[in-house]
């Protein structure tokens, strides 16, 4: 979203390895062109964020072991029934954004661009996982929960554990979801998630209200989107790190002058399209190297004809993931009808193919049933990205980073690695898991390359 480039081009492999701090984002470009810019809230797109545990889990995903890395997903109801501001940090940042609009946006002649990054509806931290805790708590208050139609919530269908795709099984296990869950537990997670979405929606409402009160709404474009979705117990998982729709299909709403109201666009688009869209809104020429396309031709009647013969968005999007909770680099090619998911080198792990027009819940992998379609989509994917080569680069990066980290903790290594998020499983058989890592490090690694200078 911030670079306008596919992940493999910026090599932002995981939550720790993001963009360089001095990377030129679309906001930097707009600032150079006279925009007054401001950012509030969650900004974790540069390198160096997230816990040690999160990094080590991503680096060791190729190791032949299976450890629970997250707390079991559960709900937590805030005791005060009338509590509106449950996620107080997000509300504080929303207040800061509103105050900035009131004090700054109205007092300057230059145009402004304001970014507000919210944590909601992301699950809350689960301290039971230890000091490097994950986030598996779905928390809300009765005020928000009452807004959810509990009876309308569907219980997602699950495949038996023995029939799950091997990558899905790994994800479900590391996310602590392979145990037994009652229907009520599943329904509660989903209800609380929807309540958290309602609270998020109210924060957006505060921004829109402020723009209206300041007389800015008719001349301001508002874009609302998210960096990932939430599985909320679909496919026996919660959280993200998946190419299933609940995780990968995010909201994208645009309103403002020149944007056609009440228009639903069915075309597949991507977060890499945000960068060129922002520059297009500002009338700034687009760099030639971007992976994304401006969305204005899709959302604006006036620009539809102007863009008719240039820079049209292709009928596909690419998504890729290389982080923790998934034990292979993952690549999705998505069209309106088809979703093709390839893994690793394209041969060691079987791919998945879903026909979203007849199987919107993605319950039936038809990759072997329709080999011609699978082959065609795989060839298209390879024409966009040499994914076996990218997977090999990530594999090498993971080993190099792990070895550097292991050297940095020195004699304390055994103690530190045993007390990461997987501590409950690790400490049952520490020698077994250390041995698995040693075995992994021996394969295809030149030890001389990593010796400390």
């Amino acid at each position: 979203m911030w670079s306008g480039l596919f992940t493999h081009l910026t090599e932002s492999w995981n939550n720790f390895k993001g963009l360089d701090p001095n990377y030129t984002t679309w906001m930097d470009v707009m600032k150079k062109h006279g925009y007054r810019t401001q950012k509030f809230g969650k900004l974790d797109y540069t390198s160096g964020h997230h816990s040690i545990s999160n990094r080590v889990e991503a680096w060791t995903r190729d190791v032949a072991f299976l450890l629970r890395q997250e707390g079991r997903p559960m709900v937590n109801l805030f005791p005060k029934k009338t509590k509106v501001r449950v996620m107080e940090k997000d509300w504080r940042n929303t207040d800061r954004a509103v105050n900035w609009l009131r004090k700054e946006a109205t007092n300057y002649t230059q145009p402004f661009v304001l970014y507000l990054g919210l944590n909601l509806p992301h699950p809350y931290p689960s301290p039971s996982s230890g000091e490097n805790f994950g986030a598996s708590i779905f928390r809300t208050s009765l005020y928000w929960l009452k807004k959810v139609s509990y009876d309308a919530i569907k219980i997602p269908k699950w495949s038996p554990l023995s029939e799950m795709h091997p990558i899905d099984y790994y994800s479900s296990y590391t996310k602590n979801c392979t145990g037994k869950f009652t229907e009520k537990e599943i329904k509660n997670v989903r209800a609380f998630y929807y309540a958290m979405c309602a609270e998020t929606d109210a924060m957006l409402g505060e921004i829109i209200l402020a723009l209206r009160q300041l007389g800015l709404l008719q001349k301001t474009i508002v874009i609302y989107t998210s960096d990932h979705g939430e599985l909320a117990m679909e496919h026996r998982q919660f959280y993200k790190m998946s190419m299933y729709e609940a995780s990968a299909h995010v909201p994208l709403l645009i309103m403002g002058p020149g944007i056609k109201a009440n228009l639903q666009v069915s075309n597949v688009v991507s977060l890499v399209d945000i960068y060129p869209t922002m520059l297009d809104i500002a009338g700034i020429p687009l760099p030639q190297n971007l992976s994304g396309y401006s969305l204005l031709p899709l959302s604006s009647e006036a620009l539809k004809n102007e863009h008719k013969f240039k820079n049209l968005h292709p009928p596909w999007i690419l998504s890729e993931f290389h982080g923790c909770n998934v034990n292979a680099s993952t690549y999705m090619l998505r069209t309106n009808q088809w979703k093709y998911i390839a893994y690793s080198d394209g041969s060691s792990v079987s791919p998945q193919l879903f026909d979203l027009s007849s199987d919107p819940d993605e319950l039936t992998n038809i990759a072997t049933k329709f080999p011609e379609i699978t082959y065609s989509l795989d060839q298209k994917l390879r024409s966009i990205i040499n994914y076996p080569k990218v997977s090999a680069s990530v594999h090498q990066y993971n080993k190099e980073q792990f070895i550097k980290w292991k050297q940095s903790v020195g004699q304390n290594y055994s103690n530190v690695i045993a007390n990461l998020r997987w501590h409950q499983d690790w400490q049952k058989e520490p020698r077994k898991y250390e041995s698995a890592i040693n075995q992994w490090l021996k394969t295809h690694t030149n030890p001389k390359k990593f010796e400390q200078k």
Side-chain angles (χ1 to χ4, degrees):
M1 186 178 91
W2 288 97
S3 70
L5 298 174
F6 293 134
T7 298
H8 65 280
L9 299 177
T10 60
E11 299 186 346
S12 303
W13 300 133
N14 53 50
N15 269 346
F16 174 66
K17 175 73 169 66
L19 299 176
D20 291 333
N22 59 351
Y23 191 95
T24 302
T25 68
W26 50 262
M27 193 176 259
D28 297 323
V29 176
M30 292 177 81
K31 190 172 185 177
K32 282 178 192 168
H33 282 79
Y35 273 75
R36 188 168 173 76
T37 63
Q38 182 62 53
K39 292 180 277 196
F40 292 111
K42 192 174 182 180
L43 297 161
D44 56 356
Y45 57 85
T46 52
S47 290
H49 293 272
H50 294 270
S51 67
I52 293 292
S53 195
N54 195 286
R55 298 169 209 175
V56 175
E57 288 159 17
W59 297 334
T60 58
R61 60 180 196 167
D62 293 321
V63 180
F65 56 43
L66 205 51
L67 296 153
R68 288 170 295 175
Q69 295 168 185
E70 305 282 355
R72 179 184 168 94
M74 54 183 65
V75 298
N76 178 259
L77 189 64
F78 204 88
K80 192 178 176 185
K81 291 181 181 180
T82 56
K83 181 78 170 174
V84 175
R85 296 189 162 210
V86 180
M87 182 30 151
E88 291 179 352
K89 190 175 180 182
D90 278 353
W91 279 107
R92 282 196 300 272
N93 284 319
T94 302
D95 290 343
R96 289 170 71 201
V98 167
N99 289 335
W100 186 86
L101 285 170
R102 293 193 192 285
K103 290 176 185 174
E104 306 284 336
T106 51
N107 292 336
Y108 290 87
T109 52
Q110 66 190 126
F112 72 87
V113 55
L114 168 66
Y115 175 84
L116 172 61
L118 301 173
N119 206 61
L120 273 184
H122 197 291
Y124 287 78
S126 38
S128 61
S129 306
E131 62 185 83
N132 281 278
F133 49 73
S136 60
I137 307 293
F138 292 80
R139 177 178 297 146
T140 193
S141 69
L142 211 54
Y143 177 88
W144 298 112
L145 199 58
K146 278 181 175 177
K147 297 182 183 296
V148 177
S149 302
Y150 195 82
D151 293 339
I153 295 171
K154 293 177 182 173
I155 301 288
K157 288 181 183 175
W158 287 355
S159 301
L161 289 171
S162 59
E163 293 175 21
M164 289 176 79
H165 188 277
I167 302 293
D168 287 344
Y169 183 81
Y170 177 91
S171 295
S172 184
Y173 195 98
T174 56
K175 292 176 182 177
N176 212 340
C177 289
T178 50
K180 288 186 177 178
F181 288 85
T182 64
E183 280 204 356
K184 187 181 179 184
E185 282 180 301
I186 296 166
K187 208 166 184 179
N188 277 345
V189 165
R190 294 174 74 75
F192 275 60
Y193 170 63
Y194 294 140
M196 289 157 68
C197 289
E199 186 178 357
T200 312
D201 190 52
M203 295 175 198
L204 174 61
E206 290 295 309
I207 300 295
I208 292 172
L209 179 63
L211 289 170
R212 180 178 287 126
Q213 290 172 343
L214 295 167
L216 295 170
L217 193 58
Q218 299 309 313
K219 50 186 178 182
T220 304
I221 289 181
V222 180
I223 299 179
Y224 175 84
T225 190
S226 175
D227 55 343
H228 58 81
E230 169 57 57
L231 284 154
M233 304 311 289
E234 292 184 26
H235 301 279
R236 208 181 186 113
Q237 295 182 49
F238 77 105
Y239 224 13
K240 44 185 175 173
M241 303 110 166
S242 164
M243 294 302 172
Y244 286 121
E245 287 292 276
S247 169
H249 192 161
V250 298
L252 176 58
L253 298 104
I254 307 177
M255 64 180 279
I259 306 298
K260 194 172 181 193
N262 302 314
L263 174 70
Q264 284 197 0
V265 180
S266 60
N267 305 48
V268 287
V269 298
S270 164
L271 289 176
V272 293
D273 300 325
I274 297 292
Y275 192 118
T277 302
M278 294 302 293
L279 298 194
D280 209 8
I281 287 168
I284 300 167
L286 306 186
Q288 293 299 302
N289 67 328
L290 295 180
S291 304
Y293 294 78
S294 171
L295 299 178
L296 285 192
L298 293 174
S299 57
S300 164
E301 281 301 306
L303 284 166
K304 235 173 188 173
N305 297 328
E306 193 182 309
H307 285 258
K308 213 161 197 173
F309 303 107
K310 60 171 185 173
N311 298 329
L312 284 179
H313 200 295
W316 55 264
I317 60 107
L318 166 73
S319 185
E320 49 185 302
F321 182 74
H322 309 279
C324 62
N325 293 107
V326 183
N327 58 337
S329 285
T330 307
Y331 307 88
M332 174 181 76
L333 185 69
R334 170 82 152 83
T335 67
N336 271 347
Q337 180 179 2
W338 301 105
K339 177 180 290 189
Y340 176 67
I341 307 169
Y343 298 96
S344 187
D345 55 6
S347 56
S348 57
V349 182
S350 58
Q352 289 173 294
L353 175 66
F354 299 101
D355 181 350
L356 297 172
S357 61
S358 62
D359 179 25
D361 295 329
E362 303 165 289
L363 297 172
T364 309
N365 177 13
I366 54 174
T368 53
K369 189 178 178 182
F370 296 100
E372 299 89 356
I373 295 169
T374 300
Y375 177 78
S376 171
L377 290 169
D378 188 69
Q379 290 300 108
K380 179 64 183 174
L381 178 62
R382 287 170 189 263
S383 74
I384 301 161
I385 174 175
N386 182 347
Y387 70 85
K389 186 179 178 183
V390 172
S391 298
S393 297
V394 178
H395 186 84
Q396 188 63 26
Y397 158 84
N398 285 341
K399 279 194 176 175
E400 289 176 11
Q401 290 300 309
F402 182 82
I403 290 168
K404 281 182 189 172
W405 173 77
K406 185 182 179 187
Q407 290 173 342
S408 75
V409 291
Q411 292 181 331
N412 209 23
Y413 164 71
S414 293
N415 181 51
V416 173
I417 201 164
N419 284 286
L420 299 179
R421 287 196 300 187
W422 51 37
H423 63 98
Q424 290 175 339
D425 285 351
W426 186 284
Q427 289 171 17
K428 291 172 188 171
E429 298 178 276
R431 285 185 182 175
K432 172 186 169 183
Y433 299 124
E434 276 201 45
S435 172
I437 286 181
N438 291 338
Q439 197 61 41
W440 166 66
L441 291 174
K442 283 177 191 172
T443 56
H444 314 300
T445 302
N446 177 3
K448 288 181 183 175
K449 189 177 178 182
F450 305 113
E451 281 175 3
Q452 282 183 312
K453 299 271 170 78

